Amino acid sequence: MLKNGTLLYDRIAGTIDDFMVLDYTGVGSIGLIYEALQKRQPGHMCMAAAEMIVEQVARRPGPVLIATGFPEGGGVPETDGPVGAAFIARSVFLGLSRETVIVVDEDWRDMMFATCRGAGLAPFDLPEDGKIVPVPYLRPVYVATVPKDEAGSRRVCDVLLAQVQPSLLVSIERPGANDRGLYHGLGGRPLDGMVADLDYLFAQARKQGLRSIGIGDGGSELGMGVIAAELKQKIAKARDCGIEGRGGVAAETATDLLIVANVSNWGATGLVAALACLLENQAVFHEAELEVRCIEACVASGGVDGMFMGPEPATDGIAAEEWRGLIQMFRKTLQRHLGMVINWQGQSGDWRQIRA
């Protein structure tokens, strides 16, 4: 395992975080968000999250619980979130041999199944008793669904925690309620009736001593409560969504650790990359072609691009083919840091040993 405190660890961890905060979308806010996070949570965010997963999986026998799903017009889910959730699930299984349960709203089940298949996983409905039986010769992932009404969603969340007894929780691109208990899109659009109350799931998990990781890109996502106060000072919509009486879009619920990225799926890629480097297992970090397939599968089963609000193979305005290039560059950069190069004589290995 890559050792914390070494020069190589710091260099790789820093490189991963640097990739996370490049403003590919041109929105212009990720620098402010990352600056706010460093004040509250200084240090390497992706590698810290990877270490938390390894630590909690070693301490607790249960699966990792991943919450995702962000509605666009008419309540249709966007590609940002489900794709990242699927690849986090894949990395946890390949790296730590631990199953995951992805939690989404009831009407997004088929989309989540297709997205998981696109990521190379075999999805199953979570059994009614919450008991997970290992499935040999497959890469399984389980999907649990939650109704959108408050009473129903809270009842299901209580049962889910009691039955599954997860090792930890992860939220990626999931709406987080503001300080008035209301949900919004980043631009201030109300999400009333469109999402289940999964803030309650994370609040109850915290009471039970479970650790949590949040991944977000704008401020309205569950987990971003870590920096809600700072965002309200820096971003107008975080303070005031533009509709009287509703407050701002800044999410109030905080997770124990937060990853911020220009796109939430990119934050998931950073977490996956950190886990692969930490475990020194490159199979954990997926190939770029698999991400393209996953985005296409998500769209084919109901997902939409969150920038253009259409069923296009893209995430936050970045086309799937562009993601291919981003991931290829990211993987190759980390491989070079790890010494996976070939010299002029055809020798492979650590560049420090073969460059002479």
Side-chain angles (χ1 to χ4, degrees):
M1 184 175 290
L2 189 63
K3 292 183 179 180
N4 192 337
T6 63
L7 180 61
L8 180 60
Y9 173 99
D10 288 336
R11 194 170 73 236
I12 288 175
T15 298
I16 292 172
D17 285 3
D18 287 345
F19 267 89
M20 295 302 99
V21 298
L22 291 173
D23 193 4
Y24 298 116
T25 61
V27 172
S29 60
I30 186 58
L32 295 173
I33 293 171
Y34 182 68
E35 180 183 347
L37 180 63
Q38 283 300 303
K39 291 179 181 178
R40 292 282 183 173
Q41 180 191 293
H44 304 307
M45 56 183 178
C46 290
M47 195 63 79
E51 289 180 324
M52 179 184 287
I53 290 175
V54 171
E55 175 188 333
Q56 294 304 307
V57 165
R59 288 184 56 192
R60 297 175 179 269
V64 175
L65 214 60
I66 306 174
T68 193
F70 206 112
E72 297 300 345
V76 176
E78 67 167 313
T79 54
D80 194 21
V83 171
F87 282 114
I88 293 172
R90 178 185 181 275
S91 70
V92 169
F93 184 78
L94 290 181
L96 300 171
S97 300
R98 184 63 57 89
E99 292 83 1
T100 56
V101 177
I102 298 178
V103 184
V104 295
D105 298 71
E106 286 180 335
D107 52 334
W108 299 341
R109 176 216 179 252
D110 292 346
M111 175 278 300
M112 198 66 243
F113 262 61
T115 303
C116 288
R117 291 192 183 101
L121 300 172
F124 296 90
D125 287 309
L126 182 69
E128 288 188 8
D129 62 2
K131 299 294 187 287
I132 292 176
V133 178
V135 182
Y137 309 112
L138 282 179
R139 296 173 179 173
V141 60
Y142 295 84
V143 177
T145 60
V146 182
K148 295 182 188 295
D149 67 286
E150 182 175 301
S153 67
R154 292 190 172 193
R155 182 178 63 254
V156 170
C157 287
D158 286 335
V159 171
L160 191 61
L161 287 175
Q163 291 183 338
V164 172
Q165 297 186 358
S167 51
L168 78 156
L169 286 78
V170 179
S171 175
I172 172 169
E173 192 66 13
R174 177 73 196 182
N178 69 3
D179 53 10
R180 304 187 187 193
L182 300 174
Y183 292 94
H184 300 88
L186 189 57
R189 173 174 50 91
L191 303 181
D192 300 347
M194 292 185 181
V195 289
D197 179 13
L198 295 191
D199 289 78
Y200 176 81
L201 175 68
F202 278 69
Q204 296 305 110
R206 181 182 289 273
K207 291 178 182 178
Q208 296 177 22
L210 295 171
R211 306 277 282 169
S212 62
I213 297 167
I215 303 175
D217 58 24
S220 64
E221 302 86 7
L222 197 163
M224 296 287 265
V226 173
I227 53 174
E230 286 77 12
L231 294 184
K232 289 175 183 178
Q233 294 176 0
K234 295 174 179 291
I235 301 174
K237 288 289 185 178
R239 297 189 301 272
D240 185 353
C241 74
I243 302 175
E244 187 176 353
R246 294 190 63 92
V249 306
E252 187 71 10
T253 297
T255 46
D256 293 299
L257 195 146
L258 179 63
I259 293 174
V260 299
N262 187 223
V263 177
S264 290
N265 279 352
W266 194 231
T269 304
L271 175 55
V272 167
L275 190 61
C277 292
L278 183 65
L279 298 174
E280 298 180 302
N281 181 355
Q282 288 302 300
V284 170
F285 192 170
H286 55 282
E287 296 285 349
E289 287 73 17
L290 197 59
E291 179 126 358
V292 173
R293 191 181 83 169
C294 185
I295 294 171
E296 291 173 342
C298 181
V299 169
S301 291
V304 299
D305 173 64
M307 185 68 73
F308 300 112
M309 311 300 177
E312 303 177 22
T315 301
D316 277 4
I318 302 177
E321 284 301 316
E322 189 175 351
W323 279 106
R324 185 198 301 271
L326 289 172
I327 290 173
Q328 285 174 335
M329 179 174 62
F330 192 22
R331 279 175 55 90
K332 291 296 184 182
T333 297
L334 293 177
Q335 286 172 359
R336 285 188 286 270
H337 275 280
L338 290 168
M340 299 170 64
V341 297
I342 298 175
N343 81 342
W344 64 283
Q345 292 178 311
Q347 298 165 320
S348 61
D350 190 329
W351 68 268
R352 288 171 289 273
Q353 297 176 13
I354 69 171
R355 63 182 176 177

